[in-house]
Amino acid sequence: TQLAKMIPGGLTEAKPATPEIQEIANTVKPQLEEKTNETYEEFTAIEYKTQVVAGINYYIKIQTGDNRYIHIKVFKSLPQQNQSLKLTGYQVDKTKDDELAGF
């Protein structure tokens, strides 16, 4: 059931990235580039997991080049908080097969 997958604090199963996930990734891309001091020509969301907190954490696997991947964590606040998407963590030097995990 959908409810079982939405247990607060737990990560969902990995799902293929959707256009919405790509949009989230694109929105925080400048924040990531500022933190890593890099410019990513390629920035393709591959898969993602979500975590329900007071809002939603999105863990997104991003392809940034030939077998070059980054995992990003993006926080989306509850609608009534009306805050913009925030990059709250990232892990560089990942491979295609590295599993998305909480960080």
Side-chain angles (χ1 to χ4, degrees), residues 34-81:
E34 195 176 307
K35 289 182 191 303
T36 60
N37 211 15
E38 285 202 50
T39 303
Y40 301 103
E41 292 296 317
E42 184 179 347
F43 203 72
T44 308
I46 303 297
E47 65 178 20
Y48 73 104
K49 292 182 179 181
T50 55
Q51 178 184 39
V52 177
V53 286
I56 300 176
N57 281 323
Y58 289 88
Y59 292 86
I60 309 172
K61 181 183 291 186
I62 304 284
Q63 183 169 5
T64 59
D66 198 29
N67 203 30
R68 291 179 55 218
Y69 295 82
I70 291 178
H71 292 179
I72 64 172
K73 178 181 177 182
V74 180
F75 178 70
K76 182 179 183 181
S77 64
L78 296 169
Q80 63 270 25
Q81 292 176 304

